[in-house]
Amino acid sequence: MPLLPRTPSISRRSLLRGLGGGAALGALAGCGVPAAYVAPGDRAAADRSATERRLTWANWPLYIDTDDEHPSRRPTLEAFEDRTGISVDYIEEINDNDEFFGKISPSLMNHQPTDRDLIVISDWMCGRFVRLGWVQEMDRSRQPNVTKYLDPLLRSPAFDPGREYTVPWQSGITGIAYNRRRLGREIRHVSDLWAADLKGRVTLLSGMDEAFALLMQGDGVDITDWRTDDFHTMCDLVEKQVGKGQIRRFTGNDYIKDLSSGDVLACQAYSGDVIQLQADDPDIEFVVPEEGAELWAESLMIPNLARHKGNAERLIDYYYRPEVAAELAAWVNYVCPVPAARDVLASSDDPDTAALAEDPLIFPDDRMRERLRIARDIGAGERAEFAKRWNGIVGV
């Protein structure tokens, strides 16, 4: 396997601004508009996969491998097309979870096709789609690679036990990044962010769904089964640190600039971003705190009334072939949901490619895996209350 260039990482876990689409749905229900939920029997359209060898796939920008000399070409996707004869209309249209929700929700709540056979969104938003009945259950008999190779840590999130409706595309960790040389010491705990020598040099993520789990873990909360009181206790702590001037600001993905410049010494961060930062500054380290960190994913789903469900299921399974997952992982540098891809990379004749197999931010080692948890997502009935509290702290 040749060495694949690393692309600039971008944030794919959007900021929660206001109450988003969930609040809009709540308002509709309160006004007597029929519920948006779609029953299982009303989700499928006639599958044209056997006669129409194509599908439409909506994804985020820079989230698939491309050819270095011809950036418009996508080697793994082209290989799928050559292998199967299925043509893929690949659309990089997702830039924000809530924005995309607003874009396709009118069709889904009105039982109309979205003209997309496959979409990729963050798991916390996937939970909303699953609860609303807006995505179809997948046929695992068509997906032997998913069944065999999906990482056990990702197999059964609270919002989709057994992954019946979703399959992780890429995964990642929300932890702590810091500049060890500038700080002059290690960070090992979430509580280390509140140390006196970091006053005014810390940033937290502004998105509620992105930020809350790690902060709860710092208080010893089991994020797979957290409670309302746990959320408000976490908010009390953050408010206290804001009042003391400990937190410089709340950020989106622009924490990268602050950490690189030295304006910030420690911050909440995503593992995929830190891999990119380390290429330019080896003093930047990523920490899974002793109390644990959140493992998250952005997942593939087949929306209701998709016309090429069988083709979509086949494409998903193709990306779970270890050799394909390895090629993708070498490009995007997120946590690979196919642990077997590690051996493929390790066997490469290229030393830089082989070294990726030993990167714990792509293939977490056993000790790191023991501290990773998938957070229970924020339910529809909780979101308005929690968003109001969090946004008041962040200043949204």
Side-chain angles (χ1 to χ4, degrees):
M1 177 179 295
L3 177 66
L4 295 174
R6 298 183 177 188
T7 61
S9 180
I10 63 171
S11 175
R12 299 178 182 88
R13 313 201 76 206
S14 69
L15 308 183
L16 181 68
R17 297 193 180 278
L19 302 184
L25 287 175
L28 287 174
C31 293
V33 176
Y37 176 77
V38 178
D42 297 325
R43 298 174 190 175
D47 192 351
R48 303 177 186 177
S49 295
T51 57
E52 296 181 358
R53 310 291 290 168
R54 62 185 179 85
L55 68 97
T56 299
W57 179 8
N59 205 348
W60 302 75
L62 302 178
Y63 218 11
I64 197 169
D65 54 301
T66 59
D67 187 291
D68 193 31
E69 296 183 359
H70 305 282
S72 63
R73 301 189 63 179
R74 304 177 179 98
T76 58
L77 192 56
E78 291 179 5
F80 171 80
E81 292 176 316
D82 292 342
R83 180 187 184 93
T84 64
I86 297 171
S87 175
V88 181
D89 183 13
Y90 186 82
I91 307 171
E92 295 184 328
E93 66 169 331
I94 305 174
N95 295 292
D96 178 281
N97 285 288
D98 282 309
E99 178 186 52
F100 187 67
F101 179 94
K103 188 174 186 178
I104 67 172
S105 60
S107 296
L108 290 165
M109 72 173 61
N110 288 295
H111 305 265
Q112 297 171 348
T114 66
D115 298 324
R116 299 163 183 84
D117 301 295
L118 197 59
I119 62 176
V120 179
I121 52 178
S122 299
D123 267 0
W124 62 265
M125 180 62 82
C126 289
R128 189 181 299 179
F129 278 71
V130 171
R131 286 191 295 269
L132 288 167
W134 286 2
V135 289
Q136 299 183 61
E137 183 175 353
M138 296 189 202
D139 183 353
R140 289 289 183 256
S141 69
R142 296 176 175 174
Q143 298 178 320
N145 292 318
V146 173
T147 300
K148 183 176 182 179
Y149 293 117
L150 173 58
D151 191 333
L153 286 179
L154 296 167
R155 284 184 181 268
S156 196
F159 74 90
D160 184 17
R163 288 281 183 184
E164 295 179 351
Y165 299 93
T166 63
V167 173
W169 170 243
Q170 293 295 292
S171 185
I173 304 166
T174 301
I176 297 171
Y178 74 104
N179 191 306
R180 184 169 181 175
R181 178 180 58 81
R182 286 182 169 135
L183 182 58
R185 62 176 176 85
E186 288 187 343
I187 285 180
R188 297 180 58 189
H189 303 276
V190 175
S191 60
D192 291 342
L193 295 175
W194 319 134
D197 60 347
L198 280 173
K199 183 174 182 178
R201 309 292 291 279
V202 173
T203 62
L204 300 181
L205 294 168
S206 57
M208 175 175 67
D209 294 270
E210 289 80 4
F212 80 92
L214 180 73
L215 299 172
M216 281 188 186
Q217 284 168 299
D219 282 339
V221 174
D222 175 6
I223 61 169
T224 67
D225 189 30
W226 56 271
R227 300 287 187 263
T228 296
D229 287 348
D230 298 323
F231 180 86
H232 287 297
T233 297
M234 179 271 295
C235 287
D236 290 343
L237 172 64
V238 175
E239 281 184 325
K240 178 181 177 181
Q241 297 302 330
V242 169
K244 292 169 55 179
Q246 187 74 18
I247 299 169
R248 184 183 185 91
R249 66 189 185 104
F250 294 85
T251 73
N253 222 49
D254 45 340
Y255 69 80
I256 294 172
K257 174 174 61 68
D258 292 341
L259 190 61
S260 297
S261 68
D263 289 339
V264 161
L265 297 181
C267 59
Q268 272 190 311
Y270 306 134
S271 55
D273 291 339
V274 175
I275 290 178
Q276 305 297 332
L277 289 171
Q278 289 172 334
D280 297 322
D281 187 348
D283 291 320
I284 291 176
E285 297 195 11
F286 183 85
V287 178
V288 171
E290 295 295 327
E291 302 86 5
E294 180 193 12
L295 179 69
W296 48 265
E298 282 155 340
S299 293
L300 297 141
M301 299 192 298
I302 300 172
N304 290 356
L305 305 182
R307 298 183 178 94
H308 307 99
K309 182 174 185 284
N311 291 342
E313 290 169 334
R314 191 170 180 182
L315 184 144
I316 292 169
D317 199 59
Y318 163 78
Y319 274 99
Y320 270 72
R321 296 169 62 94
E323 64 274 19
V324 179
E327 189 170 355
L328 182 63
W331 186 271
V332 301
N333 293 168
Y334 277 76
V335 174
C336 181
V338 183
R342 181 179 183 275
D343 291 338
V344 177
L345 289 172
S347 66
S348 173
D349 293 332
D350 184 282
D352 291 327
T353 301
L356 296 175
E358 304 304 319
D359 191 329
L361 301 189
I362 299 176
F363 298 99
D365 57 31
D366 289 343
R367 185 171 184 273
M368 184 179 290
R369 289 172 68 87
E370 290 175 356
R371 289 176 284 154
L372 298 176
R373 298 289 184 271
I374 298 178
R376 173 181 78 77
D377 59 319
I378 297 173
E382 303 168 313
R383 183 162 292 277
E385 173 191 348
F386 291 171
K388 182 178 180 181
R389 177 83 194 273
W390 181 254
N391 291 343
I393 298 170
V394 173
V396 173

